[in-house]
Structure formats: structure tokens, C-alpha cells
Amino acid sequence: MSEALDTAEAFSVATADAAGPLDLLVVGCGAGGLATAVSFAENAPSSRVLILERSSRYSRGGNTTWTGLFFRLTADGKPADAAGDIGGRSHESSEGPSDADHVSALSENAEPTVRWLAERHGVDFEIRPTHFVTVCGPRLMPVGGGAGLVDQLAKSLERLGGTIAYGVRATSLSTDVTGAVNGVHVQEGGRLWHIAARRVVLACGGFQGNPELLECHVGHTGRQLQPIANGGSNNRGEGIEMAVAVGAARSGRYDRFHGEPVDPRSHQAEALVMAYPYGILVNADGHRFLDEGADIPDNTFEEVAYRIWREARQSAYLICDAKLSQIEGHERCLLTDKDPITAPSIDELARELDIPPDELSWTVARFNDACRPAPYDPTRLDGKHTVGLVPQKSNWAVELDTGPYVAWPVHCAITFTFGGLRTDARSRVLTERGEPINGLYAIGETAGFSHSQCPGATSVLRALTFGRMAGADIA
């Protein structure tokens, strides 16, 4: 079984094969699923490995394929120190609840995982500037981004004798009389199949592509949230619900998610608008609703996006003046392919945005009055703050007084959800009593990890690291 399958026809061959059940069945063809399957296949030669992917070959890979894919690592693959530290940021941003064993395992095994990808599977890496002007630590990324990573790992899997089946949706898990997972029920077109397997790995993401589950867990306006990339639409929470149905415990915070501020006019993936520290964010009434300069944007963009959805009702605008263009590298903060809305005055800009001109003018005037003379440095926390303004701006408080004025509409796009399955550091899915469910593993966002915020540039790295470890451990 070395060629990728496009239909479920081969499943009947596989299950009827005298060799018996598959050695490993993985649900999901993103970073975590591929890393698990490849790691298992190279540690268990001649094993029978199958990945199920609900989308087509062209669209495979979930969120992984659509992201530029920064890693919170230095050029030599080591975890970044200080503000970039994986362990410290994971604990800090999650306000404590993140499992210490998981965080330690990620910190200790991230570098070996990058070496494994580079030396064993032909993934090239490079250091690239981030989406931020501020200095926020180095960022390592695979050449070709997420799509290149998926392609390289898929080639390795096929070289090792594994198979990827496209257009197939897993619907439920099967268990034996002891409660051990022994296969997956799947649907391909209008047909239902059962695939027997000795081990099953769920690596099919969270539920950001399921409006019903978003409404159930995040709130009644959860349906407003759109995935940041096309691949996220296939993450519908089915892996989580399948495991819960056979006794798995939930973990992570189901009512929170990782989001990013984007331009809703754009149809491209990751149309990020990260220049908010250098202007003001206002709602549809023309009022500010948060501190745009609370910290470097690498540490605030998730919270900013969340509050745009929660407090500004998905209708916010970034307002800047002509001084934005003087900031070296500001283009990196604007990944949207749409031009800003421009006007010679704040009143005219308000009319272009359909914001009450009097309200926006009042907001800008109050903000300008609250700014105080102080050294300004857009590359670091400069302490240039407002006085007597609520909400205050803690850094980069520079008057908006130089036309032409520019604006971008900003929505919150959901990247992934935090709620998932409870696992141990070996990625085994656990029951409410903390006991492993025999034969069942979860990787990536299917495994609940975060509770409050997720530090940027760690999610795919976590999936790859725990996938590599789990594949070797299962083998």
C-alpha cells in the first residue's frame, strides 16, 4: 500500500487482507498526523499505515497547509530564551493550567524534532522576519511554509510505504469488549466502511469549522467566527466527539480560542492586520475599547482579536495617520491584499467608514490630548503612554494629527479552538479517571492544551513534536 488512495475502495481490500488490521490508522493529514505516521513508519518497517483525510489531495493538510508557519525557535533550532521561551510563554499565557509535563516535553523535544525534519525528511529551514516591527525573538520557519512541510512529510510517508486516503470522513470509533479502540467507522460518498486498526491517532484539529459547536461552546455569536484559512473549515470537532463517546475526558478551555486580527475584505488566508500598536482601534460607534499598546503585539494579538469579536461585535477599525508610513518595516504588519481606506481628514475618513463623524472626531481629539511628549520607539516597549484616558494606551501613544489618514476594517478570525481531549505526555487519550484508553491517541489541537491564550509560533511545532514522539512510542 504505497500509493495514495483517492477513494475508500481500498478499505475493503485492507480490512479483508489476510494481514489483518492496520498497524496504525491516523485521522487527519496536517502536521501532527503526518509526523505521527512518518515517525511510526520509520520505526516500524513494513508496517501498514493509513492516514484518512476528509479533503482532496489539493486541499490536504488542514490549517498547516495555509500558514507561513513560524516556530518559536532560534536559527539552530533551540527554544528561544527570554520573551520567546516556549515553556515560560506557555505557562504565562495560559495563566498556569497548562500541564507541566506537556510543556516540559515540548521544550525538551522541539529541537530534536526540527533536526529530525531537516536531517531525515528533507525539510529546509530559514530565519524570516516576523509580522511585527517590535523585536520579539527569532522566528524559524520551513522553506515553503506549511504547504512545503506537508508535501515533504507526505513524500516521506509514501516512501516508507504508508498511504493517504482522500475524501474520507471518520464518523466514530469502534471498541472491543475491553473498551480498547480497535478501528474507525468512515464515510466516503454515500458508503459506510469499517477499518480495523491496532492503534488509532486522532489528529483532525479542533472545531473552528463547525458553527454549531462554536455556538455551543464559545457562545451564541460563535457562528460569526470564520476560520483564518480554508483548511480550518475541515476541523469540525468530530475527532473530539468520537473519543468522548468512548469514554475520553475533555481538556482545555472550550469557550476560548486562538484568533488573529484580519481584514474582512480579503479572501486570502491570513490577511493579517498587525499594525494596531501604531494607531487606535475603534468600534462601529467610533469609540476605543482596548489598550492598543499594552505589550508587544506578539503577546497581544490574540487578546486583541478576541476582544474585537467579543466587545466590538466583529466591527472594528484601525485608524492611523501618515506617520505610519515612516515606520521601517510597517508593511510586514499588513498582510492584507486590500488597500487602506484613505481620507484627508478624520471627518471624511469617518464618512468613508460609515462611523458617526462627530464621535470619531471626539475620540481622536481626546486621544491626542492624552498623549504626552516622550521618546518614541516603534521597535520596543517605549513607555510613551496616555494620561487621563480610559482605556489608556501604554506604549506608542503618538498623536493622530497628520493627513492623509488611513484605516482598515478589522475582524477576528479563528485560527483554532482550545478545547480538546485530555492526554498524557505520551499523547495517550485519558478517561475522567486519568486512565489511558487502550489504542487511542490524540495530537495537535484535537488534544486540549491551552486555557487562556496560546503563545504564537508554537501550535504547529507542538503538533510536530508530539506527533514524532507518539509515532516512535507506539512503534
Side-chain angles (χ1 to χ4, degrees), residues 412-435:
C412 171
I414 187 168
T415 310
F416 54 84
T417 45
F418 288 168
L421 300 172
R422 184 180 175 190
T423 61
D424 62 14
R426 295 171 58 188
S427 299
R428 298 180 298 179
V429 175
L430 306 177
T431 66
E432 292 287 355
R433 298 176 61 181
E435 299 170 345

Side-chain angles (χ1 to χ4, degrees), residues 66-147:
W66 298 89
T67 179
L69 204 55
F70 286 110
F71 292 162
R72 192 176 285 266
L73 301 170
T74 61
D76 58 2
K78 297 182 182 297
D81 56 11
D85 172 66
I86 292 175
R89 283 294 298 144
S90 294
H91 281 301
E92 177 187 337
S93 62
S94 229
E95 299 177 0
S98 291
D99 184 88
D101 290 340
H102 286 76
V103 174
S104 296
L106 176 58
S107 297
E108 294 168 5
N109 289 279
E111 180 189 357
T113 297
V114 170
R115 288 204 311 269
W116 174 73
L117 290 168
E119 297 171 4
R120 302 286 295 272
H121 302 291
V123 178
D124 295 322
F125 290 90
E126 61 184 343
I127 288 287
R128 291 281 298 274
T130 68
H131 306 317
F132 315 113
V133 173
T134 49
V135 177
C136 62
R139 289 292 184 269
L140 188 71
M141 68 181 297
V143 174

Side-chain angles (χ1 to χ4, degrees), residues 1-13:
M1 296 175 66
S2 61
E3 297 298 324
L5 305 177
D6 288 320
T7 73
E9 293 289 358
F11 296 160
S12 59
V13 176

Side-chain angles (χ1 to χ4, degrees), residues 35 117 341 449:
L117 290 168
I341 299 160
F449 179 76

Side-chain angles (χ1 to χ4, degrees), residues 393-409:
K393 187 171 183 181
S394 301
N395 295 278
W396 310 298
V398 177
E399 295 90 340
L400 300 176
D401 58 7
T402 307
Y405 297 91
V406 293
W408 290 265

Side-chain angles (χ1 to χ4, degrees), residues 348-362:
E348 290 172 273
L349 186 66
R351 291 186 176 89
E352 290 286 340
L353 301 175
D354 198 25
I355 293 175
D358 290 347
E359 296 297 326
L360 184 58
S361 295
W362 177 81

